[in-house]
Each structure stands twice: as structure tokens, then as C-alpha cells.
Amino acid sequence: QVQLVESGGGLVQPGGSLRLSCVASTTIFGIATMAWYRQAPGKERALVAAITNGGSTNYKDSVKGRFTISRDNAKNTVYLQMNSLKPEDTAVYYCNAEIIISKRNYWGQGTQVTVSS
């Protein structure tokens, strides 16, 4: 069973930065696409950014140029660097791993990000 553990959330002022981290309990990075999703109150969970095992990335339009997803396969860790944060970025952020062959998904427990003055 794969476990994903997120960290790095918190309260930040508009324009500030945070870096989220997600560590996987087993070595799956060679066989999984990693992603960050977020869910704001009253809204559906939505993809924020994803990175393949080959390093290709894609982003939600509203975070392009502000967020950067990266991965360190040796550490079984995926990161989300968030800059120029806006109040509308406030949400619970979830780490996701999708196994390439089986398409099975694993989720972390979520970490709260609040952008407010």
C-alpha cells in the first residue's frame, strides 16, 4: 500500500510563497505520474499541476508562471513551489500518484493553504 504524506501548508499573505512537499512511502516514482490537486470550500477537487516520470509538466491556467512542480526520484518526493500567492489559491492541497500501467490512484491526506492578509 502506497502512502503519500504532504507537508508545507500554512497561512501566508497575498504575494507570499509556500513550498509543499509530498513523500511517498515506497519507490513508485519510476512508475507514476505525480500531481497536486486542490479543493476549495464548496468546489470540486481540481488539478493544479502534474509531472510525469520523464519530467514533463502541465499546469492549471490560473497558476502558470506562479507555481512550479518538481520531483526528486531519489527521495520519493514531489514538490509544489507556489509564488505570488492569491486569496483564490486558498484550498486544501492534495498529493496524487497515478500508476502509469494500472491507472490506480493514491492520495495524500491533504494540507491546508490559506492566503489572507
Side-chain angles (χ1 to χ4, degrees):
Q1 182 72 12
V2 176
Q3 289 185 319
L4 304 175
V5 179
E6 302 106 331
S7 62
L11 173 64
V12 64
Q13 292 186 343
S17 298
L18 284 174
R19 188 176 81 154
L20 306 182
S21 300
C22 171
V23 181
S25 60
T26 61
T27 304
I28 62 169
F29 276 43
I31 59 171
T33 294
M34 303 300 298
W36 288 95
Y37 286 72
R38 69 187 183 189
Q39 187 168 19
K43 295 187 177 181
E44 293 186 353
R45 192 174 298 188
L47 178 68
V48 176
I51 184 167
T52 69
N53 60 336
S56 297
T57 59
N58 69 283
Y59 296 91
K60 179 182 179 67
D61 284 347
S62 63
V63 308
K64 286 180 180 178
R66 299 189 298 122
F67 291 11
T68 302
I69 189 171
S70 61
R71 60 194 290 167
D72 185 336
N73 291 348
K75 296 182 178 179
N76 294 339
T77 303
V78 63
Y79 305 97
L80 185 67
Q81 177 66 43
M82 305 185 293
N83 299 327
S84 301
L85 282 160
K86 304 175 181 181
E88 51 264 42
D89 295 318
T90 295
V92 178
Y93 284 70
Y94 296 91
C95 180
N96 170 268
E98 181 182 87
I99 305 302
I100 296 169
I101 295 176
S102 68
K103 300 301 181 183
R104 183 170 181 176
N105 275 264
Y106 297 92
W107 293 92
Q109 81 285 355
T111 185
Q112 177 70 47
V113 171
T114 302
V115 185
S116 175
S117 55

